[in-house]
Amino acid sequence: YLNKAKQYAQNVIKSPDISTTQLAKAYFYLGSTEGYLGILEYGVGNYFSAFSNGLQADGHLEKALQLDPGLTDAYLGLGVYRYANSRVGGLGNLIMQWGRDLRHTGILQVEQALNAETYIMPLAFKTLIWFYISEQINPRNADLSDNHPLSITACRKRAVELLKEMESRYFKNPPNPDFIGSKDLALMKAIQSFLDKDFASAKTEFEKIVKISNYLRDKKGYK
């Protein structure tokens, strides 16, 4: 399906007489599918294809923003691309970003996508929370001062803020009375509590994950 979406986007780009807005959206969808393809290919060890799709995704998302600066959803893809490449490091980052550390740049771009308050907000929340949790255990940040944006203190503060905001925005008053919780939210809260050495709260959240998993399997029939 990603390859189908990629082909459709390429066909739209080649179409005559399309508007600038349509062209921008076509580049956005093209870059988005290439980004996801890059992630999938990297996961199964097809590194050349992953790097190729990643480079194309970066260029096409940038092109979408040049054509339509209001297409702020593109910042999510760009942020993930720049952050992930910096974390992976090695030859991949050398090829994709000339070996530069663009973790903070990537995080700021995802923050920009979040601030735009579009339909991708839930994904932007989750992405940022995981990035900030990840940076708390990144050895490269161990000696940073507290006022550095990637310091353990700064990353913990922002992760906790985002967890509270996400829970309040999406899960405080669920419309479905049968809704018993979000596994994603519980897992992020559990990991953050564990990092804070609040093991009782971490245990509570892990137990909630088991409860939700059992509910989804036994009541909803999900495998």
Side-chain angles (χ1 to χ4, degrees), residues 53-88:
N53 275 293
L55 279 170
Q56 291 178 78
D58 185 47
H60 291 144
L61 290 173
E62 290 277 16
K63 180 71 172 177
L65 283 167
Q66 288 173 8
L67 291 166
D68 183 0
L71 205 58
T72 50
D73 289 351
Y75 285 114
L76 176 63
L78 288 171
V80 170
Y81 173 84
R82 298 204 163 101
Y83 178 86
N85 282 332
S86 299
R87 286 304 303 266
V88 170

PDB file of all heavy atoms in Angstrom, residues 53-88:
ATOM      1  N   ASN A  53      15.280   5.818   0.306  1.00  0.00           N
ATOM      2  CA  ASN A  53      13.947   6.344   0.603  1.00  0.00           C
ATOM      3  C   ASN A  53      14.021   7.500   1.594  1.00  0.00           C
ATOM      4  O   ASN A  53      13.263   8.469   1.487  1.00  0.00           O
ATOM      5  CB  ASN A  53      13.046   5.235   1.149  1.00  0.00           C
ATOM      6  CG  ASN A  53      12.388   4.416   0.061  1.00  0.00           C
ATOM      7  OD1 ASN A  53      11.557   4.912  -0.686  1.00  0.00           O
ATOM      8  ND2 ASN A  53      12.774   3.151  -0.049  1.00  0.00           N
ATOM      9  N   GLY A  54      14.932   7.397   2.557  1.00  0.00           N
ATOM     10  CA  GLY A  54      15.072   8.452   3.544  1.00  0.00           C
ATOM     11  C   GLY A  54      15.519   9.768   2.938  1.00  0.00           C
ATOM     12  O   GLY A  54      14.974  10.837   3.251  1.00  0.00           O
ATOM     13  N   LEU A  55      16.508   9.683   2.063  1.00  0.00           N
ATOM     14  CA  LEU A  55      16.999  10.897   1.402  1.00  0.00           C
ATOM     15  C   LEU A  55      15.907  11.529   0.543  1.00  0.00           C
ATOM     16  O   LEU A  55      15.736  12.751   0.539  1.00  0.00           O
ATOM     17  CB  LEU A  55      18.211  10.547   0.534  1.00  0.00           C
ATOM     18  CG  LEU A  55      19.556  10.419   1.263  1.00  0.00           C
ATOM     19  CD1 LEU A  55      20.602   9.828   0.330  1.00  0.00           C
ATOM     20  CD2 LEU A  55      20.022  11.770   1.784  1.00  0.00           C
ATOM     21  N   GLN A  56      15.172  10.686  -0.179  1.00  0.00           N
ATOM     22  CA  GLN A  56      14.091  11.204  -1.015  1.00  0.00           C
ATOM     23  C   GLN A  56      12.987  11.824  -0.150  1.00  0.00           C
ATOM     24  O   GLN A  56      12.428  12.870  -0.494  1.00  0.00           O
ATOM     25  CB  GLN A  56      13.510  10.079  -1.868  1.00  0.00           C
ATOM     26  CG  GLN A  56      14.459   9.575  -2.945  1.00  0.00           C
ATOM     27  CD  GLN A  56      13.869   8.428  -3.728  1.00  0.00           C
ATOM     28  OE1 GLN A  56      13.030   8.622  -4.598  1.00  0.00           O
ATOM     29  NE2 GLN A  56      14.279   7.220  -3.401  1.00  0.00           N
ATOM     30  N   ALA A  57      12.675  11.175   0.962  1.00  0.00           N
ATOM     31  CA  ALA A  57      11.635  11.687   1.860  1.00  0.00           C
ATOM     32  C   ALA A  57      12.001  13.082   2.361  1.00  0.00           C
ATOM     33  O   ALA A  57      11.164  13.998   2.369  1.00  0.00           O
ATOM     34  CB  ALA A  57      11.433  10.737   3.036  1.00  0.00           C
ATOM     35  N   ASP A  58      13.236  13.247   2.761  1.00  0.00           N
ATOM     36  CA  ASP A  58      13.696  14.537   3.276  1.00  0.00           C
ATOM     37  C   ASP A  58      13.511  15.632   2.226  1.00  0.00           C
ATOM     38  O   ASP A  58      12.952  16.693   2.497  1.00  0.00           O
ATOM     39  CB  ASP A  58      15.171  14.415   3.683  1.00  0.00           C
ATOM     40  CG  ASP A  58      15.689  15.684   4.353  1.00  0.00           C
ATOM     41  OD1 ASP A  58      14.995  16.209   5.240  1.00  0.00           O
ATOM     42  OD2 ASP A  58      16.779  16.153   3.989  1.00  0.00           O
ATOM     43  N   GLY A  59      13.937  15.354   1.018  1.00  0.00           N
ATOM     44  CA  GLY A  59      13.844  16.338  -0.051  1.00  0.00           C
ATOM     45  C   GLY A  59      12.402  16.655  -0.434  1.00  0.00           C
ATOM     46  O   GLY A  59      12.052  17.816  -0.667  1.00  0.00           O
ATOM     47  N   HIS A  60      11.562  15.637  -0.470  1.00  0.00           N
ATOM     48  CA  HIS A  60      10.180  15.843  -0.898  1.00  0.00           C
ATOM     49  C   HIS A  60       9.339  16.541   0.174  1.00  0.00           C
ATOM     50  O   HIS A  60       8.455  17.343  -0.148  1.00  0.00           O
ATOM     51  CB  HIS A  60       9.552  14.517  -1.308  1.00  0.00           C
ATOM     52  CG  HIS A  60      10.132  13.964  -2.566  1.00  0.00           C
ATOM     53  ND1 HIS A  60      10.327  12.614  -2.794  1.00  0.00           N
ATOM     54  CD2 HIS A  60      10.599  14.596  -3.687  1.00  0.00           C
ATOM     55  CE1 HIS A  60      10.869  12.438  -3.991  1.00  0.00           C
ATOM     56  NE2 HIS A  60      11.044  13.622  -4.544  1.00  0.00           N
ATOM     57  N   LEU A  61       9.609  16.262   1.436  1.00  0.00           N
ATOM     58  CA  LEU A  61       8.902  16.979   2.504  1.00  0.00           C
ATOM     59  C   LEU A  61       9.321  18.455   2.539  1.00  0.00           C
ATOM     60  O   LEU A  61       8.496  19.340   2.780  1.00  0.00           O
ATOM     61  CB  LEU A  61       9.157  16.306   3.850  1.00  0.00           C
ATOM     62  CG  LEU A  61       8.500  14.933   4.030  1.00  0.00           C
ATOM     63  CD1 LEU A  61       8.954  14.288   5.335  1.00  0.00           C
ATOM     64  CD2 LEU A  61       6.980  15.032   3.996  1.00  0.00           C
ATOM     65  N   GLU A  62      10.603  18.697   2.319  1.00  0.00           N
ATOM     66  CA  GLU A  62      11.075  20.083   2.232  1.00  0.00           C
ATOM     67  C   GLU A  62      10.410  20.799   1.051  1.00  0.00           C
ATOM     68  O   GLU A  62      10.012  21.970   1.159  1.00  0.00           O
ATOM     69  CB  GLU A  62      12.598  20.108   2.069  1.00  0.00           C
ATOM     70  CG  GLU A  62      13.381  19.691   3.298  1.00  0.00           C
ATOM     71  CD  GLU A  62      13.557  20.835   4.291  1.00  0.00           C
ATOM     72  OE1 GLU A  62      12.835  21.848   4.184  1.00  0.00           O
ATOM     73  OE2 GLU A  62      14.414  20.708   5.179  1.00  0.00           O
ATOM     74  N   LYS A  63      10.289  20.091  -0.075  1.00  0.00           N
ATOM     75  CA  LYS A  63       9.654  20.671  -1.266  1.00  0.00           C
ATOM     76  C   LYS A  63       8.189  21.016  -0.975  1.00  0.00           C
ATOM     77  O   LYS A  63       7.697  22.077  -1.394  1.00  0.00           O
ATOM     78  CB  LYS A  63       9.729  19.663  -2.421  1.00  0.00           C
ATOM     79  CG  LYS A  63       9.106  20.135  -3.723  1.00  0.00           C
ATOM     80  CD  LYS A  63       9.930  21.214  -4.386  1.00  0.00           C
ATOM     81  CE  LYS A  63       9.402  21.535  -5.759  1.00  0.00           C
ATOM     82  NZ  LYS A  63      10.166  22.643  -6.401  1.00  0.00           N
ATOM     83  N   ALA A  64       7.500  20.129  -0.237  1.00  0.00           N
ATOM     84  CA  ALA A  64       6.099  20.380   0.120  1.00  0.00           C
ATOM     85  C   ALA A  64       5.970  21.667   0.925  1.00  0.00           C
ATOM     86  O   ALA A  64       5.068  22.479   0.686  1.00  0.00           O
ATOM     87  CB  ALA A  64       5.551  19.199   0.912  1.00  0.00           C
ATOM     88  N   LEU A  65       6.887  21.887   1.859  1.00  0.00           N
ATOM     89  CA  LEU A  65       6.842  23.095   2.690  1.00  0.00           C
ATOM     90  C   LEU A  65       7.212  24.343   1.899  1.00  0.00           C
ATOM     91  O   LEU A  65       6.690  25.428   2.166  1.00  0.00           O
ATOM     92  CB  LEU A  65       7.771  22.931   3.895  1.00  0.00           C
ATOM     93  CG  LEU A  65       7.233  22.045   5.021  1.00  0.00           C
ATOM     94  CD1 LEU A  65       8.326  21.688   6.002  1.00  0.00           C
ATOM     95  CD2 LEU A  65       6.079  22.747   5.745  1.00  0.00           C
ATOM     96  N   GLN A  66       8.102  24.203   0.930  1.00  0.00           N
ATOM     97  CA  GLN A  66       8.441  25.346   0.072  1.00  0.00           C
ATOM     98  C   GLN A  66       7.227  25.794  -0.729  1.00  0.00           C
ATOM     99  O   GLN A  66       6.961  26.985  -0.889  1.00  0.00           O
ATOM    100  CB  GLN A  66       9.578  24.966  -0.879  1.00  0.00           C
ATOM    101  CG  GLN A  66      10.935  24.829  -0.207  1.00  0.00           C
ATOM    102  CD  GLN A  66      11.985  24.279  -1.150  1.00  0.00           C
ATOM    103  OE1 GLN A  66      11.741  24.135  -2.350  1.00  0.00           O
ATOM    104  NE2 GLN A  66      13.147  23.947  -0.617  1.00  0.00           N
ATOM    105  N   LEU A  67       6.458  24.822  -1.214  1.00  0.00           N
ATOM    106  CA  LEU A  67       5.280  25.128  -2.016  1.00  0.00           C
ATOM    107  C   LEU A  67       4.119  25.623  -1.158  1.00  0.00           C
ATOM    108  O   LEU A  67       3.328  26.453  -1.590  1.00  0.00           O
ATOM    109  CB  LEU A  67       4.842  23.883  -2.802  1.00  0.00           C
ATOM    110  CG  LEU A  67       5.786  23.436  -3.919  1.00  0.00           C
ATOM    111  CD1 LEU A  67       5.426  22.028  -4.375  1.00  0.00           C
ATOM    112  CD2 LEU A  67       5.718  24.411  -5.094  1.00  0.00           C
ATOM    113  N   ASP A  68       4.013  25.077   0.061  1.00  0.00           N
ATOM    114  CA  ASP A  68       2.915  25.450   0.956  1.00  0.00           C
ATOM    115  C   ASP A  68       3.420  25.438   2.400  1.00  0.00           C
ATOM    116  O   ASP A  68       3.387  24.406   3.070  1.00  0.00           O
ATOM    117  CB  ASP A  68       1.742  24.479   0.799  1.00  0.00           C
ATOM    118  CG  ASP A  68       0.552  24.862   1.666  1.00  0.00           C
ATOM    119  OD1 ASP A  68       0.639  25.881   2.387  1.00  0.00           O
ATOM    120  OD2 ASP A  68      -0.462  24.144   1.617  1.00  0.00           O
ATOM    121  N   PRO A  69       3.903  26.589   2.894  1.00  0.00           N
ATOM    122  CA  PRO A  69       4.426  26.653   4.270  1.00  0.00           C
ATOM    123  C   PRO A  69       3.395  26.280   5.333  1.00  0.00           C
ATOM    124  O   PRO A  69       3.753  25.948   6.467  1.00  0.00           O
ATOM    125  CB  PRO A  69       4.843  28.121   4.413  1.00  0.00           C
ATOM    126  CG  PRO A  69       5.066  28.601   3.020  1.00  0.00           C
ATOM    127  CD  PRO A  69       4.056  27.871   2.188  1.00  0.00           C
ATOM    128  N   GLY A  70       2.136  26.311   4.969  1.00  0.00           N
ATOM    129  CA  GLY A  70       1.100  25.947   5.921  1.00  0.00           C
ATOM    130  C   GLY A  70       0.918  24.454   6.085  1.00  0.00           C
ATOM    131  O   GLY A  70       0.146  24.008   6.943  1.00  0.00           O
ATOM    132  N   LEU A  71       1.643  23.665   5.307  1.00  0.00           N
ATOM    133  CA  LEU A  71       1.527  22.210   5.372  1.00  0.00           C
ATOM    134  C   LEU A  71       2.422  21.680   6.501  1.00  0.00           C
ATOM    135  O   LEU A  71       3.376  20.932   6.300  1.00  0.00           O
ATOM    136  CB  LEU A  71       1.944  21.601   4.026  1.00  0.00           C
ATOM    137  CG  LEU A  71       1.380  20.233   3.641  1.00  0.00           C
ATOM    138  CD1 LEU A  71      -0.141  20.253   3.618  1.00  0.00           C
ATOM    139  CD2 LEU A  71       1.900  19.833   2.274  1.00  0.00           C
ATOM    140  N   THR A  72       2.071  22.091   7.716  1.00  0.00           N
ATOM    141  CA  THR A  72       2.950  21.868   8.871  1.00  0.00           C
ATOM    142  C   THR A  72       3.085  20.407   9.280  1.00  0.00           C
ATOM    143  O   THR A  72       4.006  20.058  10.025  1.00  0.00           O
ATOM    144  CB  THR A  72       2.442  22.674  10.078  1.00  0.00           C
ATOM    145  OG1 THR A  72       1.039  22.422  10.246  1.00  0.00           O
ATOM    146  CG2 THR A  72       2.655  24.162   9.859  1.00  0.00           C
ATOM    147  N   ASP A  73       2.178  19.531   8.810  1.00  0.00           N
ATOM    148  CA  ASP A  73       2.319  18.112   9.124  1.00  0.00           C
ATOM    149  C   ASP A  73       3.661  17.560   8.635  1.00  0.00           C
ATOM    150  O   ASP A  73       4.170  16.578   9.179  1.00  0.00           O
ATOM    151  CB  ASP A  73       1.179  17.307   8.488  1.00  0.00           C
ATOM    152  CG  ASP A  73      -0.152  17.561   9.163  1.00  0.00           C
ATOM    153  OD1 ASP A  73      -0.149  18.226  10.217  1.00  0.00           O
ATOM    154  OD2 ASP A  73      -1.190  17.117   8.647  1.00  0.00           O
ATOM    155  N   ALA A  74       4.223  18.191   7.615  1.00  0.00           N
ATOM    156  CA  ALA A  74       5.501  17.727   7.067  1.00  0.00           C
ATOM    157  C   ALA A  74       6.616  17.814   8.094  1.00  0.00           C
ATOM    158  O   ALA A  74       7.601  17.063   8.021  1.00  0.00           O
ATOM    159  CB  ALA A  74       5.871  18.537   5.830  1.00  0.00           C
ATOM    160  N   TYR A  75       6.488  18.707   9.071  1.00  0.00           N
ATOM    161  CA  TYR A  75       7.536  18.848  10.082  1.00  0.00           C
ATOM    162  C   TYR A  75       7.675  17.587  10.934  1.00  0.00           C
ATOM    163  O   TYR A  75       8.753  17.320  11.472  1.00  0.00           O
ATOM    164  CB  TYR A  75       7.257  20.054  10.975  1.00  0.00           C
ATOM    165  CG  TYR A  75       7.551  21.369  10.307  1.00  0.00           C
ATOM    166  CD1 TYR A  75       6.526  22.270  10.020  1.00  0.00           C
ATOM    167  CD2 TYR A  75       8.854  21.712   9.955  1.00  0.00           C
ATOM    168  CE1 TYR A  75       6.797  23.483   9.400  1.00  0.00           C
ATOM    169  CE2 TYR A  75       9.127  22.925   9.330  1.00  0.00           C
ATOM    170  CZ  TYR A  75       8.095  23.800   9.060  1.00  0.00           C
ATOM    171  OH  TYR A  75       8.378  25.002   8.433  1.00  0.00           O
ATOM    172  N   LEU A  76       6.588  16.838  11.080  1.00  0.00           N
ATOM    173  CA  LEU A  76       6.691  15.590  11.847  1.00  0.00           C
ATOM    174  C   LEU A  76       7.642  14.622  11.165  1.00  0.00           C
ATOM    175  O   LEU A  76       8.552  14.071  11.795  1.00  0.00           O
ATOM    176  CB  LEU A  76       5.305  14.958  12.013  1.00  0.00           C
ATOM    177  CG  LEU A  76       5.289  13.593  12.728  1.00  0.00           C
ATOM    178  CD1 LEU A  76       5.795  13.715  14.157  1.00  0.00           C
ATOM    179  CD2 LEU A  76       3.883  13.003  12.708  1.00  0.00           C
ATOM    180  N   GLY A  77       7.448  14.428   9.856  1.00  0.00           N
ATOM    181  CA  GLY A  77       8.328  13.528   9.115  1.00  0.00           C
ATOM    182  C   GLY A  77       9.765  14.002   9.107  1.00  0.00           C
ATOM    183  O   GLY A  77      10.700  13.205   9.300  1.00  0.00           O
ATOM    184  N   LEU A  78       9.966  15.298   8.903  1.00  0.00           N
ATOM    185  CA  LEU A  78      11.324  15.845   8.888  1.00  0.00           C
ATOM    186  C   LEU A  78      11.986  15.687  10.252  1.00  0.00           C
ATOM    187  O   LEU A  78      13.171  15.356  10.349  1.00  0.00           O
ATOM    188  CB  LEU A  78      11.287  17.329   8.495  1.00  0.00           C
ATOM    189  CG  LEU A  78      10.961  17.620   7.034  1.00  0.00           C
ATOM    190  CD1 LEU A  78      10.732  19.117   6.833  1.00  0.00           C
ATOM    191  CD2 LEU A  78      12.078  17.136   6.121  1.00  0.00           C
ATOM    192  N   GLY A  79      11.210  15.920  11.316  1.00  0.00           N
ATOM    193  CA  GLY A  79      11.767  15.798  12.657  1.00  0.00           C
ATOM    194  C   GLY A  79      12.170  14.376  12.995  1.00  0.00           C
ATOM    195  O   GLY A  79      13.253  14.136  13.552  1.00  0.00           O
ATOM    196  N   VAL A  80      11.302  13.439  12.657  1.00  0.00           N
ATOM    197  CA  VAL A  80      11.621  12.024  12.907  1.00  0.00           C
ATOM    198  C   VAL A  80      12.863  11.624  12.122  1.00  0.00           C
ATOM    199  O   VAL A  80      13.756  10.941  12.637  1.00  0.00           O
ATOM    200  CB  VAL A  80      10.427  11.131  12.522  1.00  0.00           C
ATOM    201  CG1 VAL A  80      10.824   9.659  12.545  1.00  0.00           C
ATOM    202  CG2 VAL A  80       9.258  11.379  13.463  1.00  0.00           C
ATOM    203  N   TYR A  81      12.936  12.040  10.869  1.00  0.00           N
ATOM    204  CA  TYR A  81      14.072  11.732  10.000  1.00  0.00           C
ATOM    205  C   TYR A  81      15.381  12.235  10.605  1.00  0.00           C
ATOM    206  O   TYR A  81      16.363  11.503  10.714  1.00  0.00           O
ATOM    207  CB  TYR A  81      13.811  12.363   8.638  1.00  0.00           C
ATOM    208  CG  TYR A  81      14.956  12.292   7.648  1.00  0.00           C
ATOM    209  CD1 TYR A  81      15.161  11.163   6.871  1.00  0.00           C
ATOM    210  CD2 TYR A  81      15.826  13.369   7.480  1.00  0.00           C
ATOM    211  CE1 TYR A  81      16.200  11.093   5.961  1.00  0.00           C
ATOM    212  CE2 TYR A  81      16.868  13.317   6.573  1.00  0.00           C
ATOM    213  CZ  TYR A  81      17.050  12.177   5.818  1.00  0.00           C
ATOM    214  OH  TYR A  81      18.088  12.115   4.922  1.00  0.00           O
ATOM    215  N   ARG A  82      15.390  13.495  11.021  1.00  0.00           N
ATOM    216  CA  ARG A  82      16.637  14.100  11.510  1.00  0.00           C
ATOM    217  C   ARG A  82      17.028  13.540  12.878  1.00  0.00           C
ATOM    218  O   ARG A  82      18.207  13.308  13.147  1.00  0.00           O
ATOM    219  CB  ARG A  82      16.476  15.623  11.549  1.00  0.00           C
ATOM    220  CG  ARG A  82      16.230  16.154  10.142  1.00  0.00           C
ATOM    221  CD  ARG A  82      16.609  17.591   9.932  1.00  0.00           C
ATOM    222  NE  ARG A  82      16.711  17.840   8.504  1.00  0.00           N
ATOM    223  CZ  ARG A  82      15.786  18.424   7.768  1.00  0.00           C
ATOM    224  NH1 ARG A  82      14.665  18.815   8.321  1.00  0.00           N
ATOM    225  NH2 ARG A  82      15.958  18.602   6.479  1.00  0.00           N
ATOM    226  N   TYR A  83      16.045  13.329  13.729  1.00  0.00           N
ATOM    227  CA  TYR A  83      16.354  12.789  15.047  1.00  0.00           C
ATOM    228  C   TYR A  83      16.850  11.344  14.932  1.00  0.00           C
ATOM    229  O   TYR A  83      17.869  10.983  15.521  1.00  0.00           O
ATOM    230  CB  TYR A  83      15.112  12.846  15.950  1.00  0.00           C
ATOM    231  CG  TYR A  83      15.360  12.246  17.314  1.00  0.00           C
ATOM    232  CD1 TYR A  83      15.904  13.017  18.339  1.00  0.00           C
ATOM    233  CD2 TYR A  83      15.089  10.909  17.571  1.00  0.00           C
ATOM    234  CE1 TYR A  83      16.157  12.468  19.583  1.00  0.00           C
ATOM    235  CE2 TYR A  83      15.344  10.350  18.814  1.00  0.00           C
ATOM    236  CZ  TYR A  83      15.868  11.133  19.818  1.00  0.00           C
ATOM    237  OH  TYR A  83      16.134  10.576  21.043  1.00  0.00           O
ATOM    238  N   ALA A  84      16.115  10.526  14.192  1.00  0.00           N
ATOM    239  CA  ALA A  84      16.456   9.106  14.096  1.00  0.00           C
ATOM    240  C   ALA A  84      17.829   8.889  13.470  1.00  0.00           C
ATOM    241  O   ALA A  84      18.618   8.062  13.940  1.00  0.00           O
ATOM    242  CB  ALA A  84      15.388   8.368  13.294  1.00  0.00           C
ATOM    243  N   ASN A  85      18.138   9.644  12.426  1.00  0.00           N
ATOM    244  CA  ASN A  85      19.451   9.507  11.797  1.00  0.00           C
ATOM    245  C   ASN A  85      20.572   9.853  12.774  1.00  0.00           C
ATOM    246  O   ASN A  85      21.628   9.209  12.782  1.00  0.00           O
ATOM    247  CB  ASN A  85      19.560  10.421  10.577  1.00  0.00           C
ATOM    248  CG  ASN A  85      18.841   9.844   9.377  1.00  0.00           C
ATOM    249  OD1 ASN A  85      18.712   8.640   9.250  1.00  0.00           O
ATOM    250  ND2 ASN A  85      18.369  10.704   8.498  1.00  0.00           N
ATOM    251  N   SER A  86      20.331  10.864  13.582  1.00  0.00           N
ATOM    252  CA  SER A  86      21.350  11.282  14.543  1.00  0.00           C
ATOM    253  C   SER A  86      21.553  10.222  15.624  1.00  0.00           C
ATOM    254  O   SER A  86      22.668  10.019  16.097  1.00  0.00           O
ATOM    255  CB  SER A  86      20.954  12.616  15.185  1.00  0.00           C
ATOM    256  OG  SER A  86      20.843  13.632  14.206  1.00  0.00           O
ATOM    257  N   ARG A  87      20.476   9.567  16.029  1.00  0.00           N
ATOM    258  CA  ARG A  87      20.586   8.531  17.053  1.00  0.00           C
ATOM    259  C   ARG A  87      21.251   7.268  16.507  1.00  0.00           C
ATOM    260  O   ARG A  87      22.029   6.623  17.186  1.00  0.00           O
ATOM    261  CB  ARG A  87      19.202   8.181  17.629  1.00  0.00           C
ATOM    262  CG  ARG A  87      18.601   9.215  18.572  1.00  0.00           C
ATOM    263  CD  ARG A  87      19.517   9.554  19.750  1.00  0.00           C
ATOM    264  NE  ARG A  87      19.901   8.426  20.558  1.00  0.00           N
ATOM    265  CZ  ARG A  87      19.274   8.027  21.661  1.00  0.00           C
ATOM    266  NH1 ARG A  87      18.192   8.666  22.076  1.00  0.00           N
ATOM    267  NH2 ARG A  87      19.721   7.011  22.364  1.00  0.00           N
ATOM    268  N   VAL A  88      20.895   6.927  15.265  1.00  0.00           N
ATOM    269  CA  VAL A  88      21.504   5.733  14.656  1.00  0.00           C
ATOM    270  C   VAL A  88      22.999   5.954  14.458  1.00  0.00           C
ATOM    271  O   VAL A  88      23.822   5.082  14.731  1.00  0.00           O
ATOM    272  CB  VAL A  88      20.813   5.409  13.313  1.00  0.00           C
ATOM    273  CG1 VAL A  88      21.597   4.340  12.557  1.00  0.00           C
ATOM    274  CG2 VAL A  88      19.385   4.939  13.560  1.00  0.00           C
TER     275      VAL A  88
END
